[in-house]
Amino acid sequence: MQAAADVTKKECSWSNWKGQAIDLLYWRNVKQSGAVFSSVLLLLFSLTQFSVVSVGAYLALAALSATISFRIYKSVLQAVQKTDEGHPFKAYLEIEIALSQDQISKYADKILLYTNTCMKELRRLFLVQDLVDSLKFAVLMWLLTYVGALFNGLTLLILAVVSMFTLPVVYEKHQAQIDQYVGLIRTQVNSVVGKIQAKIPGAKRKEE
């Protein structure tokens, strides 16, 4: 019974986290999404001008300045008012933040699963188990050479963050039109791939 309760609790926690992420990306709460979006962008833009060490040090100093100032302010206020409210961050200090052994095992298992899956897929592509998939991968890598020449990794990360906070909203508002265009593009791509498979010996997938 206890094990079943723990599983149910974990599933609920995952569902809540997933729901919060969706609400954040779809701007259900404009203030919260705006705060997260602007904070992440500010951090990334800071990294374009300063090193990771400098940005981390400045963030730590800013956080310490805020918490130390608030702690001193509350201490002085308690001394003047002669009250004993205790530590101003007591509620946060009592929150359990340590990872349990079960959580560590769960995350380690997921990382191991993703790593093994990735290694198997790369082996399949590089050793040309399926010619069409390997050709697609080669085209993707060729396109990435041009992307890498135009943007660095940090710029791509900024574009990814902007896309995460804009594309879901755009898709939600114009879903019918976008699905129509995506369907047309997919049809054209499948047609081209089919022609390539028909012309290249051994490129046609084996029927299972």
Side-chain angles (χ1 to χ4, degrees):
M1 294 292 293
Q2 182 64 33
D6 292 339
V7 171
T8 304
K9 185 177 180 181
K10 290 178 180 179
E11 290 178 352
C12 292
S13 178
W14 168 252
S15 298
N16 292 335
W17 182 88
K18 187 177 180 180
Q20 291 175 0
I22 292 174
D23 291 343
L24 194 66
L25 296 179
Y26 279 89
W27 295 76
R28 308 295 189 211
N29 186 326
V30 177
K31 291 183 178 180
Q32 186 178 14
S33 296
V36 174
F37 181 52
S38 58
S39 299
V40 174
L41 275 186
L42 180 61
L43 175 62
L44 294 176
F45 279 121
S46 299
L47 290 174
T48 62
Q49 302 297 322
F50 306 99
S51 67
V52 176
V53 175
S54 297
V55 172
Y58 282 126
L59 288 176
L61 284 174
L64 283 171
S65 299
T67 53
I68 291 173
S69 299
F70 185 72
R71 173 69 190 280
I72 294 174
Y73 166 76
K74 294 295 289 185
S75 298
V76 172
L77 191 63
Q78 291 178 26
V80 172
Q81 296 179 349
K82 296 182 179 180
T83 59
D84 187 16
E85 298 178 0
H87 199 288
F89 300 116
K90 182 180 179 180
Y92 298 100
L93 290 172
E94 293 177 350
I95 295 176
E96 181 62 38
I97 61 174
L99 290 174
S100 66
Q101 188 65 37
D102 292 338
Q103 289 176 319
I104 294 175
S105 299
K106 181 182 70 173
Y107 295 137
D109 290 341
K110 286 185 177 181
I111 293 173
L112 183 61
L113 177 62
Y114 294 148
T115 302
N116 290 336
T117 302
C118 183
M119 290 174 61
K120 289 179 181 178
E121 185 65 18
L122 289 175
R123 181 185 63 180
R124 189 180 71 85
L125 292 170
F126 279 105
L127 298 183
V128 199
Q129 181 177 348
D130 186 289
L131 182 57
V132 174
D133 287 344
S134 295
L135 288 173
K136 290 179 182 178
F137 185 65
V139 171
L140 176 62
M141 293 299 102
W142 176 68
L143 292 175
L144 286 179
T145 60
Y146 288 94
V147 174
L150 295 174
F151 309 103
N152 58 30
L154 197 54
T155 304
L156 291 175
L157 189 57
I158 292 173
L159 292 175
V161 171
V162 173
S163 299
M164 286 172 59
F165 279 88
T166 55
L167 293 183
V169 178
V170 173
Y171 179 75
E172 188 178 39
K173 292 182 178 179
H174 307 282
Q175 183 175 356
Q177 298 92 323
I178 293 175
D179 287 343
Q180 181 180 359
Y181 289 122
V182 170
L184 292 173
I185 294 173
R186 185 177 298 170
T187 301
Q188 293 295 326
V189 170
N190 291 336
S191 177
V192 172
V193 171
K195 292 178 181 179
I196 294 175
Q197 288 178 334
K199 292 181 178 180
I200 299 178
K204 191 173 182 180
R205 296 178 184 273
K206 294 181 180 180
E207 295 183 358
E208 297 182 357

